[in-house]
Amino acid sequence: MKVSRSFCITISFTTLLSLIPCELLSPVTPLQPGYGEEGSYFVQFDSVPEVVTGNSTARVRYQCPKACRVGLEVVFTTSHKTEQLVFRRTWTSVKNLGYPRVRMVPLKLSPSVVYKQDLSHTHPSDGREVTIRAWLADIDTHASESLHPRDGEYHGLLAHTLKLLRMVPLAQRPAQARAVCTSWGTELLWQLAEGRIQQCPYESDAVDMMEFPMVSTGEYYGVIRVFQPFVNKELETARYHNMEHPRMAISVWIYLLNWCSGMRCAIVKHVNEFNSFGTPLIMLTNTGNIVIQVQLASKMDQAFTAYTSLPVLTWIRLDCYVEYSQVTLQVNYKTVSEEKVAAVHVYNFNEDILYNDTSGYLVIGGSRFMAGFHGYVGPMRYYRLGTAEVINPLSPSKTLEDLDEIHWECEEVKLMIEGFMDELRVHRDILSDICHSYYSAQMRRYGQMTCPQVLDWDSQRKYWPTLKLMMAQEDLVSGEWDSVAALRLGRRLFEDAVGRMARGEPVAGADPALSPLALLNVSSCLGHQQAALLLATVHLAGFGVPVDLQQGHVYSLLGAAADDRMALLHLGYKHMYGLDGFPRDPAMAYSYYVNIARQTSVDKDRIGDSQQYITESILISDERELQTQMGETDDVIQYIKLQAERGDIESQKHLAKVLFWGLKGVPKDVGGAVKWFAQSAMQMTDAKAVYDYSILLLKGQGVKKNLTLGLRLMEKAAAMGSIEALNGLGWYYSTVGKDHRKALSYFQEAAQNGNSDAIFNVGVYHLRGHPIRNETAAFECFLNASYGGHVDGAIEAAYYLSVGNLPGVTRDPERAVMLLKSISEQNGHLGYTNRKALQAYLQGSREEALLRFAMLAETGMGMAQSNAGHLCEELNHSSACQWRYYNHSLYNSAPHSSGLLKMGDWYGQNLDLLTDGRSLAMEMYSKAALAGSPQGIYNLAVLIEEGQDIPLSILDTMRLPAETRSEKRAIVKHLMQRCVELEEEQEEDVLSPCALSLLRVQVQMAWRDLTHNPLHLALAYGILGGLLIIVAYVIGQIILGHGEALSARRRDGAFAGSGDAAPVHPSDRRDGGEMDGASQREMGSRRVNPSREATQPGVTRRRRDRDRERALREGIDTIVTVAGVCLCALSTMLLSHLL
């Protein structure tokens, strides 16, 4: 505060200077009274420069009757500092006392004040004014040169004078001569930037803090906004002066669903860097009044109450003005009858208000220090420097008006159903098995009949499906009508609407009052907010109705207002990525994600909840994954049961886990799971089994709590080496044993071994001050625990990242959202919806599965998005449905390869619509390849083979070796090898497309290498030529031999007709073709004498033909041998290049 006060004094002094008449600011300040008189003190400037220059001199005339100290100073006023000293020179005057003296003082000012921007002075000072002043001081008071007058003490000196110098604008200042030469590159860069005109970004003190409606659920979560100092110097100066004399204004639209459940709840609050409330703090009470609290300059907190009695279910604008010590609140809204109401409340605190919006952060709605109100926050505008009148219209008006209309319709539905149920109970027929009195029977027979006509005809027609379903539900009619019964009816209406839509009924229907959309509207009004999410999904995705983003926004907000987990996740996802018309706002996304994350932390301990299951990521296009969801009838589950009954401990552990969490399509059975946990633990051979059963005993989950046995088993598990058991012992001694020293030692030991629960618990002890409070160390523990999937660790780490008020921790709301998104999707209620979608698909109801998967897809779950896209494709829905969900799946931090492949195909097929379609397709395929997809690698290699240029980014993404990047064929070969390796890891078929393509590429590369070697090429051509010659020779010989054989047979036929030879009759031959003895003797008598045979021409030709045939056969064998040798040589050369 002392610094600030001295600052105010200096400002006042400078302001007075600005009010001095112009003639007083002459080059020489008028002399003080007594000038020239003996024994008087005076100091004046004989000559000083009019403007600030580099080489200037000041001529100072002064007189000291006694020894004194003389000082000359030049001060520089900027937008950040009131007086910045840039020059000082002091000396003593001890001679010629009592006589005027003159001294010439060279003014050596800082180059940043004198010269323009150049290589030596990259940040010149652009000040408002420069003051040169001289003073005389008592030498005893200022005995040392280091002691000089402080701000505000110049009027108490012996004498003083000053003069204002004119600043030269930056553009008109001279350049300083350089003493050294700069490098060529530096000089070039400077010359390129020398003539550039620096322009400040546009800034305004009016900030739109909320441009899209926000849901405030009445919990401890809100939107966090952080403000930085202005870049504009004038605005920053005004803001700095505004801290203790503030002028600011906030205008916010709110829509109340209820007044506060507690004494007070927050609308807007400022939390400073000390985690205490600053200015302003606007709160709502449980009676509808507004409380405004501020922090005064004296650091005291004060508040006042404006008795407004704000109405519910209407849009209200609150305008809060802060000006110095006064706060003004204006309230404006319309009543049900459209009558405008305006009220003004003014309060004066009689002391200036302390206000610094750059300290800490501003929260809209709830925070961990105070819960928010239940309703909606509309447009919000913040004037950092104040304003006389705010401008903040209701926007988007259509969305907010429709939201108001739906809430009033819901009130009408609730009143209608409640009245109908009351009348139905009074007038319904008495059941036949209930005895009644004689008089009541006569009354029914002869008395006046009354009808439960509580609705007009239009209302009955509008809500007839709802009323018909209500009358068919005996448990609803006979029981008491309350919120639980209403929720049960809403759930049944939701299931009925889903069933009708799955059966193919029109979503909007021929009669809108009887359509599934009407049932969903009533269901959401009765509290089943999955109906609101389905309505939002229908309108955003266009299922059976035209796409209507505005209606989708309305139903999204409606579902989140009821604190529904899936609706909150849906809004957080949309705002995180800016989808479907929702503005991208990570801070708003954080407010929704932290809510669902906190609910997930609570839900995970509700083991017995039948509507919670672990979310299993099952891709319905993968038959092997689907087979794991067959439930108890699955052969694997039956086998595990058999092995568990035989005493196999691994089977017992696995079966216990399946039953406890309801995995693989098996219903939850906590009691049966505990039995198997106990049997596996009591064998005392497995540390994990012992720990699992001990923690159930300590917490009493599914079994009666037994601390004694649980602790003994926990110690046994820890002795067997269980890290989880060490953390469990720490938990026991911190909660039950109350021995924090011992608990911390167990936590630290488990944390050193990487247990995420233990790491989180160590962080909690850092916050509690064991051994000392260290918030930064706690944050590091929470962050490390979140990496291991710890829910509470992610929540705490995300909080520090969202506010950024911890030393060394930079504010990063996007990173905070990503931490929360991964754990929020583990919520058991999402797992339950995912399980119902899988069951619907397995039972053949594809349309119902699509609706449920689409709801999950709208919350950002990647696997559900892939499944929804697959079902849109399988059911022949519009391509917009397919590509919507495949495209949305890419926004996840680790998208599934199926979505990447589909989007790659879409980019490749729509080249006429996208100029960079091929490059986008390559990017998608490369990401799929990194995700472990062989198909992605194959598609990428095909695009490269087709001649597509490969961006360097994709080469880096695929981590291709440098030696393979020079040639496309080498890249393709490397990719195919990786594809084959992935297929082998996934145990796919050996003869896959990747394996065959790899073989083809290797053969092509081997042949190319072979043909590029001159020696091998010549040898290959020689072998091929020789083969061709040999083949031609063989063919020719065969043709010639065949012709001669034909002519010989003709000649042999002529000899046979001459009678020189007698044929052997077939009957003369024995079995096997041999002749008997008589025939042989007869044949021998007919033989020709060898001397005569030579003279017979037929015999000679036959012998010559046989010799030629034998020679031809031998030649063919030789040729075949030579050809085989040549082929072997050619194959050897090819294989040498191939391998």
Side-chain angles (χ1 to χ4, degrees):
M1 295 302 296
K2 291 182 179 179
V3 175
S4 300
R5 286 171 182 165
S6 64
F7 170 77
C8 295
I9 293 172
T10 307
I11 289 297
S12 301
F13 177 64
T14 308
T15 306
L16 287 175
L17 289 176
S18 65
L19 298 177
I20 297 176
C22 295
E23 57 268 17
L24 295 182
L25 297 178
S26 57
V28 179
T29 304
L31 301 177
Q32 291 85 352
Y35 168 67
E37 299 179 2
E38 185 177 356
S40 65
Y41 291 91
F42 77 87
V43 62
Q44 72 176 22
F45 291 119
D46 284 353
S47 65
V48 290
E50 293 291 332
V51 296
V52 178
T53 58
N55 298 317
S56 59
T57 303
R59 180 184 174 93
V60 183
R61 183 181 297 274
Y62 61 94
Q63 177 179 301
C64 295
K66 296 181 180 180
C68 66
R69 180 170 298 281
V70 187
L72 180 66
E73 297 176 339
V74 179
V75 293
F76 181 66
T77 301
T78 67
S79 59
H80 298 282
K81 293 185 178 181
T82 305
E83 291 185 351
Q84 181 180 356
L85 187 66
V86 295
F87 176 81
R88 175 185 289 128
R89 178 74 181 276
T90 61
W91 65 92
T92 58
S93 177
V94 295
K95 297 179 180 180
N96 298 324
L97 299 177
Y99 296 96
R101 301 192 64 182
V102 177
R103 185 158 185 149
M104 303 294 292
V105 181
L107 300 178
K108 297 181 179 179
L109 303 180
S110 171
S112 63
V113 180
V114 179
Y115 301 107
K116 66 180 181 181
Q117 183 182 11
D118 59 8
L119 288 173
S120 303
H121 313 292
T122 56
H123 298 287
S125 300
D126 185 14
R128 293 170 175 266
E129 58 188 21
V130 176
T131 304
I132 182 171
R133 58 196 182 194
W135 44 267
L136 301 180
D138 189 355
I139 197 170
D140 296 328
T141 304
H142 300 273
S144 174
E145 292 189 4
S146 62
L147 298 176
H148 57 275
R150 294 189 299 269
D151 295 340
E153 294 183 356
Y154 290 96
H155 291 283
L157 297 173
L158 298 175
H160 67 275
T161 186
L162 58 87
K163 179 181 174 61
L164 296 180
L165 305 183
R166 183 168 56 86
M167 287 286 296
V168 180
L170 286 175
Q172 300 177 8
R173 293 182 189 177
Q176 185 180 19
R178 300 181 204 163
V180 296
C181 295
T182 58
S183 64
W184 178 84
T186 305
E187 183 72 22
L188 177 62
L189 291 176
W190 171 250
Q191 290 180 2
L192 292 174
E194 185 177 8
R196 186 179 303 165
I197 299 176
Q198 299 292 337
Q199 294 183 351
C200 295
Y202 173 76
E203 275 191 297
S204 172
D205 70 314
V207 182
D208 290 320
M209 298 179 60
M210 198 72 65
E211 298 180 356
F212 190 85
M214 183 204 81
V215 176
S216 178
T217 59
E219 304 289 341
Y220 293 86
Y221 321 108
V223 177
I224 298 173
R225 303 294 190 196
V226 176
F227 296 95
Q228 302 296 334
F230 288 106
V231 177
N232 185 284
K233 297 179 180 179
E234 286 76 12
L235 291 177
E236 178 58 19
T237 301
R239 187 198 68 82
Y240 191 76
H241 294 173
N242 225 21
M243 279 200 252
E244 287 194 352
H245 304 284
R247 291 186 72 250
M248 56 83 67
I250 288 181
S251 176
V252 57
W253 287 88
I254 60 173
Y255 188 93
L256 301 178
L257 296 177
N258 294 294
W259 288 340
C260 293
S261 57
M263 290 293 294
R264 281 181 286 274
C265 53
I267 299 176
V268 178
K269 53 183 174 293
H270 177 231
V271 181
N272 59 28
E273 70 266 31
F274 306 108
N275 286 332
S276 60
F277 292 126
T279 302
L281 172 58
I282 305 176
M283 297 172 285
L284 177 72
T285 68
N286 55 0
T287 56
N289 299 321
I290 296 295
V291 177
I292 298 180
Q293 177 179 307
V294 298
Q295 189 176 33
L296 304 178
S298 60
K299 300 298 181 68
M300 297 291 293
D301 294 333
Q302 290 192 13
F304 77 95
T305 301
Y307 294 94
T308 54
S309 297
L310 298 180
V312 297
L313 300 183
T314 187
W315 283 105
I316 306 167
R317 196 176 91 172
L318 304 177
D319 299 334
C320 179
Y321 300 85
V322 176
E323 188 167 3
Y324 305 126
S325 63
Q326 180 175 292
V327 175
T328 303
L329 176 66
Q330 295 181 0
V331 181
N332 298 275
Y333 60 88
K334 289 183 180 180
T335 62
V336 179
S337 59
E338 295 297 320
E339 179 183 355
K340 292 184 178 180
V341 176
V344 180
H345 306 266
V346 182
Y347 189 85
N348 196 315
F349 290 96
N350 298 320
E351 182 182 348
D352 281 350
I353 296 170
L354 182 63
Y355 163 70
N356 182 11
D357 59 0
T358 62
S359 169
Y361 52 92
L362 205 69
V363 184
I364 307 165
S367 70
R368 59 173 52 196
F369 303 108
M370 182 183 295
F373 69 97
H374 188 199
Y376 305 95
V377 179
M380 180 175 179
R381 176 163 287 191
Y382 171 40
Y383 295 85
R384 301 179 67 181
L385 301 180
T387 184
E389 182 182 2
V390 299
I391 301 175
N392 186 23
L394 189 64
S395 174
S397 58
K398 187 66 170 63
T399 300
L400 301 183
E401 290 169 1
D402 286 355
L403 191 62
D404 175 58
E405 182 180 348
I406 286 180
H407 275 289
W408 280 106
E409 288 181 359
C410 286
E411 292 298 317
E412 176 187 347
V413 168
K414 293 176 185 177
L415 290 175
M416 180 273 300
I417 293 179
E418 185 176 358
F420 183 81
M421 292 300 294
D422 291 339
E423 293 293 331
L424 193 61
R425 288 194 195 92
V426 174
H427 298 283
R428 66 191 178 97
D429 293 335
I430 299 178
L431 299 178
S432 58
D433 57 347
I434 298 178
C435 298
H436 51 82
S437 66
Y438 170 79
Y439 297 102
S440 61
Q442 296 300 316
M443 186 66 184
R444 290 198 311 277
R445 183 174 181 181
Y446 299 106
Q448 183 178 0
M449 299 298 294
T450 59
C451 298
Q453 192 71 17
V454 296
L455 302 174
D456 56 21
W457 170 250
D458 291 336
S459 297
Q460 290 189 45
R461 183 175 177 275
K462 181 178 181 180
Y463 299 113
W464 169 243
T466 303
L467 302 179
K468 181 180 179 182
L469 181 62
M470 288 171 57
M471 291 186 292
Q473 306 295 325
E474 182 60 30
D475 59 332
L476 295 176
V477 176
S478 59
E480 181 181 356
W481 182 256
D482 53 11
S483 60
V484 177
L487 181 59
R488 190 163 60 246
L489 175 60
R491 186 176 295 112
R492 293 175 183 176
L493 289 172
F494 172 77
E495 295 297 336
D496 185 58
V498 170
R500 291 170 60 179
M501 293 169 67
R503 289 191 295 271
E505 292 189 22
V507 176
D511 188 349
L514 306 177
S515 66
L517 288 185
L519 290 180
L520 292 174
N521 271 305
V522 176
S523 175
S524 66
C525 291
L526 294 176
H528 188 66
Q529 295 307 325
Q530 280 196 24
L533 178 59
L534 182 54
L535 285 168
T537 302
V538 166
H539 286 95
L540 293 175
F543 285 120
V545 296
V547 174
D548 190 342
L549 298 183
Q550 185 264 329
Q551 282 295 312
H553 295 167
V554 170
Y555 288 113
S556 301
L557 295 168
L558 184 67
D563 211 23
D564 180 71
R565 297 165 179 82
M566 292 177 63
L568 291 170
L569 200 60
H570 164 70
L571 276 180
Y573 170 68
K574 298 297 182 181
H575 280 296
M576 179 59 192
Y577 298 106
L579 303 174
D580 294 330
F582 292 86
R584 188 177 186 277
D585 190 342
M588 190 180 291
Y590 168 80
S591 68
Y592 296 124
Y593 272 115
V594 70
N595 190 341
I596 178 65
R598 185 64 69 182
Q599 292 190 58
T600 302
S601 175
V602 176
D603 291 340
K604 63 185 176 63
D605 293 327
R606 297 173 178 171
I607 304 300
D609 190 351
S610 60
Q611 294 191 354
Q612 285 197 79
Y613 284 89
I614 291 179
T615 303
E616 298 180 84
S617 298
I618 304 297
L619 192 66
I620 59 177
S621 59
D622 191 334
E623 291 294 335
R624 290 180 298 180
E625 292 185 3
L626 277 179
Q627 291 299 321
T628 63
Q629 298 296 308
M630 300 306 294
E632 295 180 340
T633 60
D634 187 24
D635 294 339
V636 176
I637 298 297
Q638 294 295 326
Y639 176 76
I640 292 174
K641 281 185 177 181
L642 179 62
Q643 291 297 104
E645 291 171 353
R646 291 177 176 177
D648 182 66
I649 190 170
E650 292 298 328
S651 299
Q652 291 174 346
K653 288 164 51 181
H654 185 78
L655 184 59
K657 181 180 178 181
V658 168
L659 294 175
F660 191 78
W661 299 108
L663 304 176
K664 300 185 181 300
V666 178
K668 271 188 179 181
D669 185 2
V670 178
V674 170
K675 182 188 73 172
W676 292 114
F677 275 129
Q679 288 192 21
S680 61
M682 289 310 170
Q683 296 186 39
M684 295 296 179
T685 58
D686 189 281
K688 183 68 170 60
V690 175
Y691 164 76
D692 288 339
Y693 187 53
S694 66
I695 200 67
L696 293 179
L697 292 172
L698 290 174
K699 291 186 175 182
Q701 292 180 336
V703 66
K704 185 177 180 180
K705 183 180 291 187
N706 190 334
L707 297 178
T708 303
L709 179 58
L711 178 60
R712 188 164 65 248
L713 290 176
M714 188 71 73
E715 292 173 342
K716 175 68 175 177
M720 296 171 68
S722 172
I723 306 302
E724 293 88 350
L726 291 173
N727 176 72
L729 288 173
W731 172 83
Y732 174 84
Y733 285 108
S734 65
T735 56
V736 181
K738 302 299 180 182
D739 188 345
H740 296 291
R741 184 182 299 274
K742 196 172 184 179
L744 181 58
S745 65
Y746 278 120
F747 286 145
Q748 290 175 338
E749 184 179 356
Q752 291 173 358
N753 288 276
N755 183 267
S756 60
D757 290 330
I759 295 173
F760 172 80
N761 291 329
V762 171
V764 172
Y765 270 83
H766 279 305
L767 283 182
R768 292 178 179 176
H770 296 284
I772 59 173
R773 179 177 172 80
N774 189 336
E775 206 167 0
T776 303
F779 166 74
E780 293 294 336
C781 290
F782 296 148
L783 187 62
N784 291 331
S786 69
Y787 294 150
H790 197 279
V791 177
D792 295 312
I795 294 172
E796 295 299 324
Y799 165 74
Y800 287 108
L801 290 171
S802 65
V803 298
N805 62 347
L806 195 63
V809 179
T810 305
R811 184 172 185 264
D812 192 348
E814 293 188 21
R815 187 181 179 191
V817 169
M818 295 311 298
L819 287 177
L820 296 173
K821 184 178 186 296
S822 59
I823 64 165
S824 298
E825 292 176 354
Q826 300 173 15
N827 189 275
H829 290 270
L830 274 72
Y832 176 74
T833 304
N834 182 68
R835 185 187 183 93
K836 294 195 71 173
L838 286 172
Q839 290 176 347
Y841 183 83
L842 291 172
Q843 293 170 4
S845 181
R846 300 291 195 264
E847 291 287 351
E848 180 183 350
L850 173 59
L851 292 174
R852 298 188 187 276
F853 276 128
M855 283 196 301
L856 290 170
E858 294 296 330
T859 66
M861 292 183 61
M863 191 59 68
Q865 290 167 339
S866 297
N867 288 339
H870 175 77
L871 283 171
C872 288
E873 188 175 3
E874 183 178 338
L875 296 172
N876 294 322
H877 281 263
S878 64
S879 60
C881 171
Q882 302 173 31
W883 306 124
R884 169 185 176 82
Y885 292 116
Y886 284 137
N887 185 39
H888 284 185
S889 68
L890 305 185
Y891 288 97
N892 294 286
S893 57
H896 195 271
S897 60
S898 60
L900 293 167
L901 292 173
K902 289 294 183 179
M903 289 307 301
D905 295 341
W906 188 83
Y907 288 134
Q909 294 168 5
N910 292 270
L911 299 178
D912 53 338
L913 302 177
L914 301 169
T915 56
D916 56 345
R918 288 190 179 274
S919 60
L920 290 174
M922 294 186 72
E923 182 181 354
M924 294 297 104
Y925 292 147
S926 63
K927 290 182 178 180
L930 291 178
S933 171
Q935 185 67 45
I937 299 178
Y938 180 80
N939 292 351
L940 183 61
V942 169
L943 284 179
I944 296 173
E945 280 192 310
E946 291 176 353
Q948 178 66 27
D949 293 332
I950 313 162
L952 183 61
S953 59
I954 292 182
L955 295 177
D956 295 335
T957 300
M958 295 301 299
R959 302 182 183 91
L960 292 175
E963 59 272 12
T964 63
R965 297 188 178 190
S966 58
E967 187 181 357
K968 289 185 178 181
R969 197 175 297 276
I971 296 175
V972 172
K973 177 183 177 182
H974 184 79
L975 291 176
M976 290 300 181
Q977 287 175 343
R978 291 178 59 177
C979 180
V980 171
E981 292 172 359
L982 279 176
E983 289 175 336
E984 291 176 353
E985 293 176 2
Q986 299 175 7
E987 298 180 357
E988 295 186 2
D989 296 336
V990 177
L991 293 178
S992 63
C994 287
L996 296 176
S997 297
L998 177 61
L999 179 61
R1000 174 180 55 81
V1001 172
Q1002 288 176 335
V1003 171
Q1004 289 176 349
M1005 293 182 68
W1007 178 254
R1008 187 202 59 182
D1009 294 341
L1010 177 64
T1011 56
H1012 280 69
N1013 189 317
L1015 179 61
H1016 290 175
L1017 183 62
L1019 181 61
Y1021 282 145
I1023 293 173
L1024 289 176
L1027 284 176
L1028 291 176
I1029 293 173
I1030 293 172
V1031 169
Y1033 172 76
V1034 170
I1035 294 174
Q1037 290 295 326
I1038 290 175
I1039 293 174
L1040 291 176
H1042 183 66
E1044 292 180 357
L1046 288 176
S1047 60
R1049 280 197 292 272
R1050 292 192 188 98
R1051 287 191 296 270
D1052 291 343
F1055 265 117
S1058 62
D1060 291 336
V1064 180
H1065 194 273
S1067 60
D1068 296 335
R1069 295 185 177 268
R1070 297 180 180 177
D1071 294 339
E1074 296 182 357
M1075 292 181 293
D1076 56 8
S1079 298
Q1080 289 181 359
R1081 285 191 298 270
E1082 182 182 356
M1083 191 65 186
S1085 62
R1086 294 182 182 179
R1087 284 181 181 170
V1088 182
N1089 190 358
S1091 60
R1092 293 179 57 197
E1093 182 181 3
T1095 61
Q1096 294 180 3
V1099 175
T1100 303
R1101 290 191 189 93
R1102 283 197 298 270
R1103 184 177 300 168
R1104 191 166 50 249
D1105 291 341
R1106 284 195 297 269
D1107 293 342
R1108 187 183 297 112
E1109 183 179 356
R1110 187 183 305 108
L1112 181 61
R1113 193 175 290 116
E1114 291 176 356
I1116 292 174
D1117 293 339
T1118 303
I1119 292 171
V1120 170
T1121 303
V1122 173
V1125 172
C1126 294
L1127 288 176
C1128 288
L1130 185 62
S1131 301
T1132 302
M1133 288 190 294
L1134 187 63
L1135 287 174
S1136 65
H1137 289 280
L1138 185 63
L1139 301 177

